[in-house]
Amino acid sequence: MKSDVPESRATEAVARGPRVPFRWMDTLWVQVTGTLCNIACQHCFISCGPKATQIPVMGVDEVQRALDQGRDAGVRHVYFTGGEPFLHPELQSLVARALDVAALTIVTNGILLDDDTVRWLAGAFERSRNALDLRVSLDGMTAAQNDSVRGRGTFAEIVAALQRLGAGGFSPVVTVVEHEQGLEGAEARARFLDFVRGLGIRQPRVKFLPLLRIGREARRSEGYADRLGDEALLPAVESSLLCATGRCFTAQGVYTCPILVEDASARLGASVAEASRGIRLGWAACQTCVLDGLRCNT
Amino acid sequence: MRAAFFGGIYNNYIGLEEALADARRRGAERLFCLGDVGGFGPHPDRSIESLRKAQVEMVQGNYDDAVGNAREDCGCGYTDPRDNHFARLSYAYTLDKTSAGHRPWLAGLPPQLSVELGGTRLHLVHGSPRQQNEFLWESTAPDAFLERLCVEAGADVLLCTHTGIHWQRQLPSGRRVVNVGALGRPANDGRTCVWYAFLDTEAETAPPFCFIPLAYDHQRLAREMRAEKLPEEFVETVLTGWWTTCLEILPSKERLRGRF
Ligand code: SF4
Ligand code: SF4
Ligand SMILES: [Fe+2]
């Protein structure tokens, strides 16, 4: 498996920082398309893009294996991520398989959601007892704001996709990365909700995410200067971390969380069972989770 | 053996009185309440007094823990600023209006209850066996996950509330999970009735649990809420059966069934 991290640093990373016991295997992230994405955002926390193959696309059998292990562990939610999950040639089948096990959220940039896709998604939503949710990322209310990080023309494409989803009766969660000032606070939130409602989405849901300064984003801002000390976390913080209640399955093994899939030192094993153990937060990005409150409980 | 299971009361003492009478009419020998006596509605002491007088067997909800121990917030577990705004209003009201004499009772309620009824092991919790304020919604509680909770709790039947919407499911192993719903507010279905769960272990019809829709004088509840200056958004829910707050925690399936 590939690694940019020298072995010595890998060991160092996991041997320090606050301890996070593994509470429950509630959330199984599956990086179905690896790092493959149809766009290449500047703030992507894994360096995804149309030619990014450093983490391969998962085969159907591999995804099924992840889901089976999730089922054995009594998993509650499955998240499909990439890259861009809708680039997966067998996504329809993967969605059906995941919904058979748990509630499913697909994290997407939305661009590939054409009418046909929205139609089959709506069918899957109707048929399944388990929830099917979409998380579409949009990083501003204007093309200028969004396209500066996501690429020229993407605002119009994402907005069109949101309109199709709204027309299809979907209520996607629109995620906004706080990549510039003015995208945070109650007022910004209210304006964003109105904006999304204006696209024909009846029950808009918006989630603001703090910026992760790793991956390609590390080149845009300065990355992280520091790491967390060894002091114990507050229980409320500890229990709300992604890595306390979930693991990420990729073509290269099972990782602490979907954020660190490019860091070999965050690989905890080949199976969910192997990876279901406590860790120490020795990675730089952990600061964002701990200090800025990156959570996934909406 | 017949038994009634009430979910969150949310200060709806009018609905609670109606439910107590209804359950007795149906022959309930045991009465259970799965917690959250306060919040949302008016006059918190009245519901507490009814429950204590009727000797309802109680499980502690997050609200009871919060009010009983005078905690900073209700611990409902909302994540959205608007939801939290309304949660704060109703918590401040309930905290202020609950007599000091009732607080030790609330604080001392057991967080879980295991009972055997007609040879079946029932495990009663407020949210989930592992977390008092965990939301068990139908669409985000898959079988394997529920099996795990039941096994860990040693339960044939797991009963919970906290979400406010009732549902039940038999798991592949034969175990069962019942979210008993709430007496405190309608189930976001456009009907003004509230719901509780009823068990008849000798019933001819399967499943042994059914959900009872309960009509009560909701106009009177609305009048009293207005007189107490509780938020008009809450009153609207009582009068229409549609939720107007706490919407962000609803999974999309449950939310799309509602109006807002
Ligand atoms: S942020 Fe998302 S959409 Fe953008 S490049 Fe990364 S994976 Fe693709
Ligand atoms: S990056 Fe966040 S989720 Fe991942 S291990 Fe660090 S604290 Fe946990
Ligand atoms: Fe509750």
Side-chain angles (χ1 to χ4, degrees):
Chain A
M1 57 169 272
K2 85 115 224 180
S3 165
D4 294 337
V5 190
E7 209 41 53
S8 58
R9 222 193 95 206
T11 326
E12 180 202 14
V14 287
R16 47 175 289 184
R19 287 169 203 283
V20 177
F22 191 64
R23 300 179 85 201
W24 303 299
M25 187 58 206
D26 274 2
T27 308
L28 176 68
W29 301 79
V30 189
Q31 205 193 10
V32 290
T33 43
T35 38
L36 190 66
C37 191
N38 50 335
I39 54 176
C41 305
Q42 303 215 351
H43 64 341
C44 185
F45 63 81
I46 28 185
S47 313
C48 298
K51 295 195 188 87
T53 52
Q54 64 270 36
I55 305 178
V57 174
M58 291 172 76
V60 174
D61 290 350
E62 230 170 342
V63 174
Q64 186 61 54
R65 199 157 52 86
L67 294 171
D68 288 344
Q69 292 180 17
R71 191 199 310 255
D72 289 345
V75 84
R76 189 170 188 188
H77 297 278
V78 173
Y79 280 74
F80 279 174
T81 70
E84 171 51 52
F86 284 95
L87 282 175
H88 199 290
E90 304 283 344
L91 192 69
Q92 283 203 39
S93 157
L94 298 186
V95 166
R97 289 158 190 261
L99 285 174
D100 192 42
V101 172
L104 172 66
T105 299
I106 309 174
V107 183
T108 172
N109 60 38
I111 291 171
L112 298 171
L113 295 171
D114 57 18
D115 285 329
D116 276 353
T117 310
V118 171
R119 213 168 298 126
W120 75 253
L121 280 170
F125 179 87
E126 273 301 309
R127 277 190 303 275
S128 168
R129 182 183 60 209
N130 292 329
L132 170 60
D133 266 304
L134 292 170
R135 269 195 199 185
V136 181
S137 20
L138 182 67
D139 290 329
M141 282 178 283
T142 61
Q145 236 171 9
N146 176 82
D147 293 2
S148 71
V149 285
R150 303 199 84 93
R152 194 178 314 156
T154 55
F155 180 80
E157 291 181 285
I158 299 169
V159 161
L162 288 172
Q163 286 168 327
R164 283 193 290 274
L165 286 170
F170 265 97
S171 172
V173 177
V174 181
T175 61
V176 188
V177 172
E178 292 161 343
H179 65 90
E180 63 175 57
Q181 280 178 353
L183 278 175
E184 50 205 33
E187 208 192 307
R189 207 190 152 82
R191 271 189 289 132
F192 216 95
L193 277 172
D194 282 342
F195 170 76
V196 176
R197 199 177 284 114
L199 301 179
I201 293 172
R202 190 165 71 93
Q203 297 167 327
R205 297 183 288 168
V206 173
K207 184 178 162 68
F208 286 81
L209 302 174
L211 185 63
L212 286 157
R213 280 165 285 156
I214 54 173
R216 193 174 294 115
E217 171 61 22
R219 275 174 259 154
R220 200 177 71 113
S221 47
E222 297 93 78
Y224 293 95
D226 211 354
R227 279 158 206 251
L228 296 165
D230 287 350
E231 306 81 49
L233 303 173
L234 291 173
V237 172
E238 182 192 293
S239 61
S240 64
L241 295 170
L242 269 60
C243 53
T245 55
R247 288 293 177 253
C248 183
F249 213 112
T250 80
Q252 296 177 330
V254 184
Y255 287 71
T256 54
C257 64
I259 298 157
L260 296 175
V261 287
E262 280 190 300
D263 192 328
S265 65
R267 183 183 186 272
L268 297 179
S271 67
V272 167
E274 262 175 58
S276 297
R277 56 187 161 92
I279 57 170
R280 298 189 71 169
L281 304 188
W283 298 280
C286 299
Q287 290 176 97
T288 298
C289 299
V290 171
L291 306 174
D292 300 341
L294 178 64
R295 311 280 186 268
C296 60
N297 53 356
T298 42
Chain B
M1 163 65 81
R2 291 177 188 174
F5 302 86
F6 306 140
I9 312 292
Y10 306 125
N11 290 336
N12 182 3
Y13 73 96
I14 304 168
L16 173 61
E17 282 299 332
E18 200 64 51
L20 289 167
D22 187 72
R24 288 197 191 100
R25 262 198 308 276
R26 293 172 192 269
E29 296 147 71
R30 291 178 76 172
L31 304 169
F32 297 92
C33 171
L34 275 59
D36 275 4
V37 183
F40 195 74
H43 310 303
D45 281 353
R46 298 186 189 172
S47 295
I48 298 176
E49 279 150 22
S50 290
L51 289 164
R52 297 185 72 168
K53 188 160 144 258
Q55 295 191 319
V56 174
E57 297 174 70
M58 298 290 301
V59 168
Q60 183 185 60
N62 54 287
Y63 233 94
D64 314 318
D65 169 65
V67 174
N69 295 295
R71 299 201 195 281
E72 225 166 88
D73 67 62
C74 63
C76 287
Y78 300 140
T79 53
D80 174 73
R82 181 174 180 272
D83 289 349
N84 277 323
H85 163 76
F86 285 106
R88 269 195 297 277
L89 290 179
S90 58
Y91 183 61
Y93 173 87
T94 294
L95 191 63
D96 181 51
K97 301 275 172 158
T98 305
S99 315
H102 287 314
R103 293 194 192 200
W105 181 78
L106 290 167
L109 296 174
Q112 325 221 350
L113 212 57
S114 276
V115 292
E116 205 172 305
L117 293 186
T120 306
R121 285 171 305 163
L122 309 184
H123 193 75
L124 284 63
V125 298
H126 180 72
S128 80
R130 60 186 196 178
Q131 209 178 306
Q132 194 173 44
N133 68 349
E134 180 162 19
F135 295 100
L136 295 189
W137 306 102
E138 185 175 23
S139 77
T140 56
D143 289 349
F145 167 71
L146 294 176
E147 296 275 20
R148 165 158 65 110
L149 294 186
C150 288
V151 169
E152 281 166 10
D156 299 325
V157 180
L158 176 66
L159 294 112
C160 62
T161 174
H162 186 61
T163 64
I165 299 183
H166 58 278
W167 56 273
Q168 66 169 325
R169 191 189 314 153
Q170 185 163 28
L171 304 177
S173 65
R175 298 186 183 91
R176 180 176 293 278
V177 176
V178 184
N179 188 319
V180 304
L183 283 183
R185 58 173 184 170
N188 197 23
D189 55 4
R191 300 172 61 178
T192 55
C193 60
V194 292
W195 298 78
Y196 73 95
F198 195 85
L199 168 69
D200 183 348
T201 55
E202 272 121 62
E204 302 282 297
T205 51
F209 286 90
C210 63
F211 294 112
I212 313 264
L214 186 83
Y216 68 101
D217 191 347
H218 63 279
Q219 300 282 359
R220 180 172 146 216
L221 182 70
R223 276 198 304 278
E224 294 190 12
M225 286 168 76
R226 281 187 177 134
E228 288 296 288
K229 304 203 164 39
L230 287 161
E232 193 53 32
E233 284 83 353
F234 294 178
V235 177
E236 186 185 336
T237 296
V238 168
L239 291 175
T240 63
W242 298 116
W243 292 7
T244 54
T245 61
C246 315
L247 291 164
E248 294 301 317
I249 45 150
L250 278 171
S252 53
K253 251 189 191 296
E254 281 81 355
R255 185 157 177 190
L256 280 167
R257 286 184 206 128
R259 175 177 292 171
F260 300 107

